[in-house]
Amino acid sequence: MTACSGGGAGEAEDTSLTLGAITAPTTLDPAGSEWGNRAPFYQAVYDTLLYADSDGEIQPWLATEWSYNDDGTVLTLTLRDDVSFTDGSALTAEVVAENLQRFQDGTSPDAGYFADVASFEAPDETTVVVTLNAPDPAFLDYLTRDPGLVASSEAIDSGDLTTTPVGSGAYVLDTAATVTGTSYVYTANPDYWNPDVQHYESLTINVLQDPTSALNAIKAGEADAVRISTNDNLDEVEAAGWTINSNELDFQGLLLLDRAGTVSEPLGDVRVRQAINYAIDRDAMLAALQQGHGTVTTQVFPTGSGAYDEALDDAYPYDPDQARELLEEAGYADGFTISMPNSAVLGATVYSLVEQQLADIGITVQYTDPGNNFIADLLAPKYPASFMALEQNPDWQLIQFMLAPTAIFNPYHYEDETANALFERIQYGDETEQVAAASELNAYIVDQAWFAPFYRVEGVMASAPGTSVEMLPTNAYPSIFDIAPAE
Amino acid sequence: MPVFIARRLLSGAVMLVVISVVAFTLLYLGGGDIARRILGQSATAETVAAKTAELGLDRPLVVQFGDWFANALTGDLGRSWFSSQFVAVSMETRLPVTLSLVIGSTVIAAILSVLLGVLAARRGGWIDGLVQFLAVVGFAVPGFLIALGLVLLFAINLGWFRATGYTPIGSSFTGWLASIALPVVALATGAIATIAQQIRGSVLDALDRDYVRTLRSRGLSSNRVVYRHVLRNAAGPALAVLAVQFIGMLGGAVIVEQVFALPGIGQLAVQATTQGDIPVVMGIVIVTAIIVVIVNLAIDLAQAALNPKVRLS
């Protein structure tokens, strides 16, 4: 299990932890929950069925064992029998099935993860059976995140989970001391089944949306660990004596969405998409936009994936001449005009840099600011291409998120036979086959230039002296159990 | 007098209705796909549709407003779309923060500007010059810059006050003071500059008046003349300026609350407006409008009490 040295609560050292987060949760009810930067708010009060450790491996948590049937459509989970919720009610298979069902029926942004589930059943007290319509290689990953959160059944029936969460987790929300949206205060659950991971007696999570106030909190020593929303001030964070802990979860770059050329005919030509890739000076972009905090890349699969290939990080070196040649071959020697959205949320500089570099090879960018509707318009779809920051998920999840014909970030539902065949091998193959097919897929979409990624950006969780943080490879916010007093 | 108050309250109520109709409509015009914004980039189209239905956003605008208004009349302002908290509860927790800030700043501004204004008017010379200079500086430098300077010096370097966060007065008075002191100073600076100038002008003006000469000729001490008579006459316009400043500070609190990460109404307003969290924005609009109505009424009453010439009918 976790590589924790024991410790636990109960010892009288520094036993309170103050964390900084970028954004508050929209609800504390698991049925509407999210992960990413909102993970710690849920993780503090609820247990997940499975646990993702800092190596990215799936570990037992509320479920101690799990197995699939031969065709990968029936998942059987065995639960712990010694867990009770903080309202005194017991964890049973029935409660877990109820929670899973609520997630599928609810309005969590991730409710779509359960779109292919046929049923959740509880044949006995400690067994949960999930039946899928088709194999889902990402399903166990999902159970380590928001879909795997379990709330008390009594609280679901009678209470108000949206602001008063009741779980079996390591901490209990102190609703009297909490200011919703700003500051969440938790105290250790004295009856927690896994005291090894309770490193603190109390926990406070402050929402520090403004980068300046986050930096001020760091300099004034008013927190133990803070998730940083911009990499502009990392020098000052280090100057304050803090440690920079980082992972590279998100990539930023151009999404070349209209690969069939429905709206923008030139984009339907692979040579044009490759030309756009050659036109980008990735090193300059990384230096200008992230102060060098990241790694340039041309692939969308994360370093932790079996499909990742280091060579694909520079498949398209900066070469405007090559780009112009490709455009000429494709019949666009005189260039063309392409429309893209721009959003203040992602910064202003990047848009002018993209505009300049594409203009250099003859492509004119026409920007429209859709304001608050940026994502809605992008997915409508109203634009053939856009600059965007997207999370690099584990393989199958990534495919469902931005590659598959039904993926959210494939709004034109673009597909081709080669990719479809690879998706199928990943979905139905065994583990070795999955990795092999995912590697082929990665190489294929880089060659086909489905995207023009610039770089993987460093996501930073800064920690004060006295606090140690281990990042998760699969999430923006580390597990709260991986934040502990430094040795 | 009761008639006057009743009339003012009635016009306040009418104003509230007008404001809520206008605010609701404007928010909807700038709205766009709210469910998508709540759910973010990973939600499927089906989930977005389910959320839209859950929030009742698929109904006509008039129905939605009617529903909101009927509930608001019973005191139910609904729940935030982005934090699920009852709007009334978030007002309850956040109003004390903003009122601590604004009332604290107003009190300090009132005291300091009277002292500075009178000092400048009576002493003249280099003292007057200095006060005038400080007033211009205080007026010209934006509040957030002052806030950042104060944080750097007193919170980060000296560690006397807090750089972020808020402690309720109920849980610790010194904690409250440490969390509120810098924001109050940052917010009060601009107001002090404005009101001190106003007081200085009024006092100078009054000192030249015939009645002052008459009072002096009767042998009243200079202090007594200034504090009993001159200030009383200068107080009317100063109070009006103070009221304007108080209301202005409700706006100025927005930036100060952001910089100090204070969970007040201003911070909530920025967040809710950028997100398009209509129930919260409407709650803030209503509560702020009520405060403005009350402040204006209180100022009118205070002026009447100060100056019998402004008797209310």
Side-chain angles (χ1 to χ4, degrees):
Chain A
M1 290 213 17
T2 48
C4 179
S5 57
E11 280 156 46
E13 307 153 34
D14 177 24
T15 53
S16 74
L17 175 69
T18 303
L19 299 175
I22 296 173
T23 178
T26 53
T27 170
L28 293 172
D29 182 344
S33 61
E34 287 176 70
W35 213 239
N37 275 303
R38 293 177 166 113
F41 300 98
Y42 298 104
Q43 204 191 9
V45 281
Y46 299 109
D47 281 311
T48 42
L49 284 168
L50 300 172
Y51 182 73
D53 70 15
S54 56
D55 294 325
E57 301 291 325
I58 295 173
Q59 302 288 355
W61 205 251
L62 286 182
T64 51
E65 283 168 50
W66 56 93
S67 61
Y68 275 111
N69 67 342
D70 285 344
D71 69 1
T73 52
V74 180
L75 171 68
T76 306
L77 298 147
T78 308
L79 301 178
R80 299 185 68 93
D81 58 7
D82 59 348
V83 177
S84 53
F85 295 101
T86 50
D87 60 6
S89 63
L91 175 90
T92 63
E94 208 174 313
V95 177
V96 171
E98 182 188 6
N99 272 275
L100 294 169
Q101 189 64 55
R102 284 187 82 232
F103 192 87
Q104 186 184 34
D105 299 340
T107 50
S108 161
D110 298 328
Y113 289 170
F114 282 177
D116 268 336
V117 177
S119 69
F120 302 102
E121 282 158 286
D124 63 52
E125 283 282 283
T126 56
T127 310
V128 175
V129 178
V130 181
T131 309
L132 304 165
N133 294 323
D136 184 344
F139 200 81
L140 292 175
D141 287 318
Y142 295 154
L143 298 184
T144 68
R145 309 160 59 98
D146 42 335
L149 296 167
V150 184
S152 150
S153 178
E154 287 180 16
I156 290 172
D157 293 341
S158 61
D160 181 16
L161 283 178
T162 55
T163 51
T164 314
V166 181
S168 60
Y171 298 90
V172 180
L173 183 70
D174 179 349
T175 47
T178 292
V179 182
T180 300
T182 299
S183 179
Y184 295 74
V185 180
Y186 303 84
T187 51
N189 171 5
D191 304 318
Y192 192 51
W193 60 273
N194 189 10
D196 281 356
V197 298
Q198 281 176 304
H199 307 303
Y200 300 92
E201 278 171 2
S202 69
L203 167 67
T204 303
I205 310 176
N206 292 324
V207 180
L208 300 168
Q209 231 150 11
D210 183 62
T212 314
S213 59
L215 189 62
N216 286 340
I218 288 171
K219 287 180 176 172
E222 287 168 4
D224 299 305
V226 175
R227 179 73 167 83
I228 310 278
S229 63
T230 156
N231 287 344
D232 292 346
N233 302 320
L234 290 186
D235 293 345
E236 284 183 77
V237 173
E238 281 185 302
W242 283 49
T243 306
I244 303 290
N245 310 279
S246 61
N247 62 8
E248 290 183 353
L249 194 70
D250 291 355
F251 81 90
Q252 296 189 351
L254 294 177
L255 310 180
L256 307 179
L257 301 169
D258 189 15
R259 291 155 208 143
T262 340
V263 177
S264 167
E265 205 188 316
L267 216 54
D269 191 315
V270 63
R271 290 167 294 190
V272 172
R273 300 196 301 266
Q274 288 172 338
I276 291 174
N277 266 283
Y278 280 117
I280 304 294
D281 185 351
R282 293 178 168 78
D283 289 309
M285 297 290 253
L286 183 66
L289 298 168
Q290 299 295 330
Q291 276 70 43
H293 295 286
T295 311
V296 296
T297 188
T298 55
Q299 63 190 321
V300 296
F301 279 82
T303 51
S305 158
Y308 173 77
D309 179 358
E310 207 183 327
L312 293 178
D313 275 347
D314 51 5
Y316 297 101
Y318 177 51
D319 191 345
D321 291 331
Q322 173 86 3
R324 280 185 284 261
E325 241 169 74
L326 280 164
L327 279 187
E328 200 178 323
E329 272 176 43
Y332 298 99
D334 297 332
F336 62 93
T337 300
I338 189 167
S339 73
M340 292 194 206
N342 57 353
S343 160
V345 179
L346 295 168
T349 326
V350 65
Y351 294 102
S352 49
L353 291 179
V354 167
E355 193 178 3
Q356 278 168 27
Q357 295 184 1
L358 292 186
D360 188 35
I361 63 163
I363 301 176
T364 310
V365 181
Q366 225 163 39
Y367 285 121
T368 318
D369 187 349
N372 271 331
N373 278 350
F374 179 73
I375 290 174
D377 282 1
L378 197 57
L379 303 184
K382 287 190 180 171
Y383 299 95
S386 173
F387 174 75
M388 188 68 187
L390 286 185
E391 196 175 308
Q392 300 179 294
N393 300 300
D395 299 353
W396 186 248
Q397 200 180 332
L398 183 149
I399 291 166
Q400 295 302 307
F401 184 52
M402 54 189 185
L403 303 181
T406 52
I408 301 155
F409 271 88
N410 182 5
Y412 290 88
H413 308 299
Y414 178 76
E415 58 184 314
D416 70 24
E417 280 174 21
T418 316
N420 281 351
L422 289 165
F423 296 153
E424 206 169 300
R425 279 172 58 198
I426 295 168
Q427 183 170 14
Y428 292 96
D430 60 20
E431 239 171 274
T432 331
E433 172 73 359
Q434 283 176 0
V435 173
S439 303
E440 275 183 57
L441 177 67
N442 190 14
Y444 178 70
I445 62 169
V446 169
D447 178 61
Q448 290 292 304
W450 281 20
F451 303 88
F454 302 162
Y455 45 74
R456 288 185 294 275
V457 59
E458 248 176 51
V460 171
M461 181 87 184
S463 56
T467 304
S468 79
V469 170
E470 272 195 83
M471 298 299 281
L472 281 184
T474 49
N475 199 47
Y477 210 94
S479 162
I480 58 166
F481 305 131
D482 289 331
I483 303 170
E487 300 280 301
Chain B
M1 191 77 136
V3 179
F4 168 79
I5 296 176
R7 202 185 292 158
R8 289 300 292 266
L9 288 178
L10 186 71
S11 71
V14 172
M15 188 184 85
L16 278 181
V17 175
V18 173
I19 286 179
S20 44
V21 172
V22 171
F24 203 87
T25 316
L26 285 177
L27 282 165
Y28 262 90
L29 292 180
D33 192 344
I34 295 160
R36 165 59 70 187
R37 248 184 292 143
I38 296 170
L39 296 173
Q41 61 183 40
S42 57
T44 59
E46 292 77 36
T47 315
V48 171
K51 189 79 187 177
T52 306
E54 182 190 299
L55 296 176
L57 290 168
D58 45 0
R59 302 169 302 162
L61 176 61
V62 181
V63 176
Q64 292 184 47
F65 179 75
D67 205 27
W68 175 86
F69 192 76
N71 285 330
L73 281 181
T74 68
D76 176 10
L77 293 170
R79 274 173 185 264
S80 159
W81 291 342
F82 287 81
S83 77
S84 299
Q85 194 179 31
F86 284 108
V87 174
V89 175
S90 64
M91 292 298 141
E92 242 168 72
T93 55
R94 287 167 180 271
L95 206 52
V97 182
T98 303
L99 288 182
S100 290
L101 260 182
V102 175
I103 293 175
S105 303
T106 308
V107 169
I108 288 184
I111 295 171
L112 281 184
S113 45
V114 167
L115 289 177
L116 288 174
V118 171
L119 190 72
R122 291 181 69 193
R123 292 290 169 83
W126 69 270
I127 294 184
D128 187 23
L130 183 68
V131 170
Q132 296 250 55
F133 173 74
L134 288 179
V136 171
V137 172
F139 190 69
V141 180
F144 76 93
L145 264 187
I146 297 173
L148 286 176
L150 291 171
V151 169
L152 196 64
L153 183 60
F154 292 107
I156 292 169
N157 286 335
L158 295 171
W160 293 350
F161 298 105
R162 294 261 298 279
T164 55
Y166 178 76
T167 307
I169 193 164
S171 60
S172 155
F173 180 75
T174 49
W176 173 78
L177 211 56
S179 64
I180 209 81
L182 298 183
V184 162
V185 174
L187 196 57
T189 317
I192 294 172
T194 316
I195 307 172
Q197 285 286 52
Q198 161 79 34
I199 301 252
R200 176 187 170 274
S202 309
V203 172
L204 275 179
D205 187 44
L207 285 174
D208 271 351
R209 293 281 179 84
D210 289 346
Y211 78 91
V212 171
R213 230 170 291 144
T214 316
L215 287 170
R216 283 217 172 113
S217 67
R218 282 203 214 141
L220 262 73
S221 79
S222 178
N223 274 339
R224 190 156 173 180
V225 170
V226 169
Y227 289 106
R228 284 292 297 275
H229 301 279
V230 171
L231 264 186
R232 199 178 173 120
N233 275 304
L239 264 180
V241 174
L242 198 64
V244 172
Q245 289 295 325
F246 179 91
I247 291 160
M249 278 185 210
L250 285 173
V254 170
I255 294 163
V256 171
E257 285 172 13
Q258 287 282 101
V259 172
F260 289 93
L262 292 174
I265 298 278
Q267 196 205 37
L268 188 67
V270 171
Q271 219 173 298
T273 313
T274 43
Q275 288 171 329
D277 196 341
I278 294 181
V280 175
V281 178
M282 290 303 292
I284 293 171
V285 165
I286 295 303
V287 168
T288 315
I290 290 173
I291 292 176
V292 170
V293 169
I294 292 173
V295 167
N296 280 327
L297 186 61
I299 292 294
D300 282 343
L301 295 176
Q303 281 187 332
L306 270 169
N307 189 347
K309 274 190 286 183
V310 205
R311 266 295 113 106
L312 308 165
S313 51

